[in-house]
Amino acid sequence: MNEIESPVAPETESRSAVGSRWWRLSAAWALLSWTSQPPLSWWPLCIVAVIPLLCAAKTDPISRKRFAVLFLAGTCYWAVTLQGLRHANPLIYPCWIVLSAYLGIYPVFFVLVLRRLLRRGAATLWAAPVAWVGMECIRNYLLTGISAAMLGHALSDVPSMIQIADLGGTYAVSLIIVAANVALLSAWTYGAQRFTGSGEPDRADESPDGSPTVIVVIVLWTATYFYGRFRLGQPTRPSETTLALIGRSE
């Protein structure tokens, strides 16, 4: 008697593969984001740190369980990032965990908002930076607000690339970083499509080779760099402000 293959096997395998991919994407985002920030400060990793979330936003199918995986990764990331809080007092431990869990919601919201924008036909080049900066803005002002470890802080050791903060704060720096992530993902997708022989663009609103996205981001980063050099080259003058730092001696 010939064996009859189960009609649900391919679907089950597909869901299992997507679920495994979500674990990898979530872990990659958390690891890249943490290593790009202090104490390691491997800042070049910030231009690829958001790529896992961009891929997650374009992955189908999606479920609450997979969002829970991303939430768990976000909670772990913030717990490690803010672990210094626990040293002040043992009673802060539960607050540290609760705060990390609260902040772990934001990468989930970013993916949800980005998916909604992409489904409405928005171009990834502007949808991703707007969604990311929007999440950072909400995080910085909602409730009491917490602005620690913003994406733009990863470039704090690169003076030429952070002078645009006088135009749009750290949000402007975060915006160009996310744009760089989009450009690199676009270039990688094009290369993968050429390697596999597929000529389909990643999105209908983007060209098959992703060149407009890459060109726009190169121009954006070049302008940012030269603006930074211009601002750093301006003469400084003594400050007329008197600062007093007062602290207890313990």
Side-chain angles (χ1 to χ4, degrees), residues 50-51 53-58 107-132 135 178 182 185 203:
V50 185
I51 288 180
L53 296 185
L54 299 178
C55 295
K58 300 180 181 183
V108 177
F109 282 169
F110 168 73
V111 172
L112 283 172
V113 171
L114 181 56
R115 284 176 64 86
R116 180 63 60 89
L117 291 175
L118 295 180
R119 287 184 175 182
R120 291 179 178 271
T124 311
L125 178 58
W126 72 263
V130 167
W132 185 274
M135 291 299 104
V178 178
V182 174
L185 178 60
R203 285 186 44 75

Side-chain angles (χ1 to χ4, degrees), residues 33-197:
S33 297
W34 183 77
T35 52
S36 66
Q37 299 274 0
L40 295 182
S41 298
W42 295 348
W43 65 264
L45 295 180
C46 72
I47 63 175
V48 296
V50 185
I51 288 180
L53 296 185
L54 299 178
C55 295
K58 300 180 181 183
T59 299
D60 286 312
I62 202 168
S63 65
R64 293 181 180 178
K65 182 178 180 180
R66 288 167 190 145
F67 276 125
V69 170
L70 180 56
F71 168 72
L72 177 61
T75 302
C76 292
Y77 161 73
W78 280 108
V80 175
T81 300
L82 302 177
Q83 60 87 25
L85 297 176
R86 62 188 174 86
H87 296 298
N89 191 294
L91 295 177
I92 293 182
Y93 272 76
C95 301
W96 163 52
I97 299 301
V98 171
L99 177 61
S100 300
Y102 160 68
L103 295 174
I105 297 175
Y106 284 94
V108 177
F109 282 169
F110 168 73
V111 172
L112 283 172
V113 171
L114 181 56
R115 284 176 64 86
R116 180 63 60 89
L117 291 175
L118 295 180
R119 287 184 175 182
R120 291 179 178 271
T124 311
L125 178 58
W126 72 263
V130 167
W132 185 274
V133 170
M135 291 299 104
E136 286 193 335
C137 184
I138 294 174
R139 170 165 71 88
N140 291 349
Y141 289 96
L142 185 63
L143 302 178
T144 60
I146 176 170
S147 58
M150 293 175 63
L151 184 62
H153 293 163
L155 292 181
S156 59
D157 292 333
V158 191
S160 298
M161 298 303 297
I162 61 174
Q163 300 306 308
I164 56 171
D166 61 9
L167 302 177
T170 308
Y171 301 115
V173 184
S174 295
L175 188 145
I176 66 169
I177 293 176
V178 178
N181 279 262
V182 174
L184 289 176
L185 178 60
S186 178
W188 171 264
T189 301
Y190 169 66
Q193 290 168 350
R194 287 292 301 270
F195 181 77
T196 59

